[in-house]
Amino acid sequence: MTPRTATLIGLTAILMWSLLSVMTVATGKIPAFQLAAMTFAIGGVVGLLTWIGRSEAAKSLRQPLAVWVVGVGGLFGYHALYFLALRFAPPAEAGLLNYLWPLLIVLFSSFLPGERLAAHHIIGAVLGLVGTVLLFAGNTSGFAPGAVPGLIAAFIAAFVWATYSVLSRRLKAVPTDAVAGFCLATAILAALMHGLLETTVWPETGLQWLSVIALGIGPVGAAFYAWDIGMKRGDIRVLGAASYATPLLSTGFLIAAGFAKASANIALAAILIAGGGLIAAKDMVLRKR
């Protein structure tokens, strides 16, 4: 697999994650950790199904403890912190702090062997950050002292996901098949948190059940496998900068579904984020064939 192909596969994860908000709304009022347990279980099963006919795939679970700590810590740690952030902090502020992770990925990638940050990578990431700020501008709901724990959790979550993503590159020898195990372990931990903190609420309609299944197959399933491939074999700097398209695309899907309204801020954010992504991906876009 060429780096270009791996990068393109990684970009599909960004597209799938942009559907997360609108699909989550369609699941109804299922508590956060319960939804995480259900969808990560489905995501893990999706990975296991790809093992059919590949008896050697099960060997991918035989990894050192450090690999499991990175894999499960990244998937469960990030989502637990993000859910905590949404519980205590206004969603706009929490989302803005959380979306520091694309910029952090670009910056952290400079510490990887053989990777080098060029000016256009940094410019693209910063433009994406500015566009994301504009995307959330005007949607803030105020700030209260009680929101501090949530804001701190959102900030830490950004570092957790960026660290997990970049460390995936260092664990390049670990096959993507292992992500199935990470998803199943995350489902178990989320189920334990659900049992401790939440009251079970099952989907009430067929559409809600279908939305849960679709979440598990796509944004909380295939997306993580695609991201793993992109981080391990693709251009990590391009993927980091392009990740700022997630909140923009997510907002676009919410508008299309009637859950949000278009605005001048969104239009300007689209220009900045798309421009930043193209600048960061200059080497890949202009590469001679």
Side-chain angles (χ1 to χ4, degrees):
M1 182 181 297
T2 66
R4 183 187 182 90
T5 299
T7 302
L8 291 173
I9 291 174
L11 290 174
T12 66
I14 296 172
L15 179 60
M16 285 186 275
W17 285 331
S18 68
L19 292 166
L20 183 64
S21 295
V22 69
M23 293 174 72
T24 299
V25 171
T27 63
K29 298 181 179 180
I30 303 173
F33 281 108
Q34 180 189 343
L35 184 60
M38 295 170 70
T39 52
F40 271 102
I42 295 170
V45 171
V46 168
L48 294 181
L49 290 176
T50 67
W51 294 9
I52 296 176
R54 297 188 300 123
S55 57
E56 75 284 355
K59 297 179 181 179
S60 65
L61 298 181
R62 300 175 184 172
Q63 301 297 333
L65 178 61
V67 172
W68 281 91
V69 169
V70 172
V72 179
L75 295 182
F76 176 75
Y78 168 77
H79 287 86
L81 286 166
Y82 189 52
F83 291 154
L84 181 66
L86 294 179
R87 182 182 293 269
F88 290 102
E93 285 87 340
L96 184 57
L97 281 173
N98 176 63
Y99 267 100
L100 287 172
W101 66 259
L103 178 61
L104 292 174
I105 286 177
V106 174
L107 297 178
F108 289 175
S109 69
S110 63
F111 296 102
L112 292 171
E115 298 290 343
R116 182 180 62 85
L117 278 181
H120 62 277
H121 295 127
I122 298 175
I123 292 172
V126 171
L127 283 176
L129 178 60
V130 173
T132 302
V133 171
L134 282 176
L135 189 63
F136 286 95
N139 294 320
T140 55
S141 53
F143 175 79
V148 171
L151 295 173
I152 293 175
F155 185 71
I156 296 174
F159 276 85
V160 169
W161 187 251
T163 302
Y164 162 75
S165 298
V166 175
L167 284 179
S168 294
R169 183 66 153 231
R170 297 298 299 268
L171 301 174
K172 194 173 181 179
V174 178
T176 297
D177 288 324
V179 176
F182 303 156
C183 285
L184 293 174
T186 297
I188 293 172
L189 291 174
L192 292 174
M193 293 295 291
H194 166 65
L196 292 172
L197 302 173
E198 300 171 338
T199 301
T200 301
V201 177
W202 294 109
E204 298 177 347
T205 66
L207 176 61
Q208 290 178 0
W209 276 108
L210 287 174
S211 297
V212 170
I213 295 170
L215 271 175
I217 293 174
V220 192
F224 292 116
Y225 301 101
W227 189 248
D228 189 73
I229 291 171
M231 287 292 103
K232 288 177 177 175
R233 297 176 174 81
D235 192 322
I236 194 171
R237 302 154 303 180
V238 170
L239 288 170
S243 296
Y244 278 115
T246 305
L248 176 66
L249 291 171
S250 178
T251 302
F253 286 124
L254 288 171
I255 292 172
F259 295 119
K261 295 183 179 180
S263 69
N265 273 4
I266 292 176
L268 184 55
I271 294 172
L272 287 169
I273 292 173
L278 287 173
I279 291 172
K282 178 175 71 71
D283 294 339
M284 188 176 76
V285 174
L286 300 180
R287 183 178 299 160
K288 293 182 180 180
R289 298 186 180 183

